[in-house]
C-alpha cells in the first residue's frame, strides 16, 4: 500500500515539474516594460527577468543631465523588475501551492 502512495506522489511531482518547465518557457517569451520620467526611459525584461531592451524617448530626455538619466534608468529597471515578479507570481502561483496540496 505504501508503494502505491509513493507512486501517486511521484506522478504528481513529475506532472508539476513538467508544468513548471512549460511555465518557465512561457515566461521567457513574454515581456514587461518598466518606465520612468513619464516614459522618457523604458526598460523591457522578459517574464523570467532577463534583459530584453531599453528605449529612450529623444524628445523627453533632451536636456536631462546624466545623473538624472541614470536615476530614471534605475527607476525604470525597478519598475520592470516589479512587473516581471508579479507576472512570474501569477504564472507560477498555481504551481507554488502544489506541493502543499499533495496527498501523502
Amino acid at each position: 500500500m505504501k508503494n502505491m502512495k509513493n507512486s501517486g506522489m511521484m506522478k504528481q511531482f513529475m506532472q508539476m515539474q513538467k508544468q513548471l518547465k512549460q511555465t518557465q518557457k512561457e515566461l521567457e517569451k513574454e515581456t514587461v516594460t518598466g518606465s520612468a520620467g513619464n516614459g522618457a526611459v523604458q526598460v523591457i525584461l522578459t517574464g523570467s527577468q532577463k534583459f530584453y531592451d531599453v528605449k529612450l524617448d529623444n524628445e523627453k530626455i533632451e536636456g536631462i543631465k546624466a545623473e538624472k538619466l541614470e536615476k530614471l534608468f534605475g527607476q525604470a529597471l525597478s519598475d520592470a523588475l516589479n512587473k516581471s515578479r508579479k507576472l512570474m507570481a501569477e504564472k507560477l502561483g498555481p504551481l507554488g501551492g502544489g506541493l502543499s496540496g499533495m496527498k501523502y
Side-chain angles (χ1 to χ4, degrees):
M1 189 71 143
K2 190 175 183 180
N3 278 345
M4 289 176 68
K5 285 185 181 180
N6 288 340
S7 175
M9 209 163 61
M10 185 58 109
K11 284 181 185 179
Q12 282 183 307
F13 178 75
M14 290 174 68
Q15 182 180 5
M16 285 176 51
Q17 190 175 27
K18 183 178 176 180
Q19 288 174 327
L20 179 61
K21 286 181 182 181
Q22 179 63 36
T23 302
Q24 288 172 328
K25 286 180 184 179
E26 290 172 13
L27 283 168
E28 288 184 16
K29 293 177 185 176
E30 293 191 44
T31 60
V32 295
T33 302
S35 65
N38 200 23
V41 178
Q42 294 183 336
V43 174
I44 304 165
L45 301 177
T46 66
S48 59
Q49 300 181 345
K50 293 181 184 173
F51 177 79
Y52 184 78
D53 201 5
V54 63
K55 298 198 182 286
L56 303 174
D57 185 320
N58 287 331
E59 291 177 13
K60 291 181 181 177
I61 65 167
E62 189 175 330
I64 295 179
K65 293 186 178 190
E67 296 85 20
K68 175 69 174 175
L69 196 55
E70 290 167 352
K71 286 182 182 180
L72 290 175
F73 180 78
Q75 292 169 354
L77 180 57
S78 291
D79 186 37
L81 282 169
N82 287 334
K83 289 177 179 178
S84 180
R85 288 181 189 121
K86 183 178 177 183
L87 177 64
M88 190 179 290
E90 289 172 4
K91 295 282 187 178
L92 294 175
L95 296 174
L99 288 175
S100 63
M102 288 180 73
K103 304 207 184 324
Y104 302 100

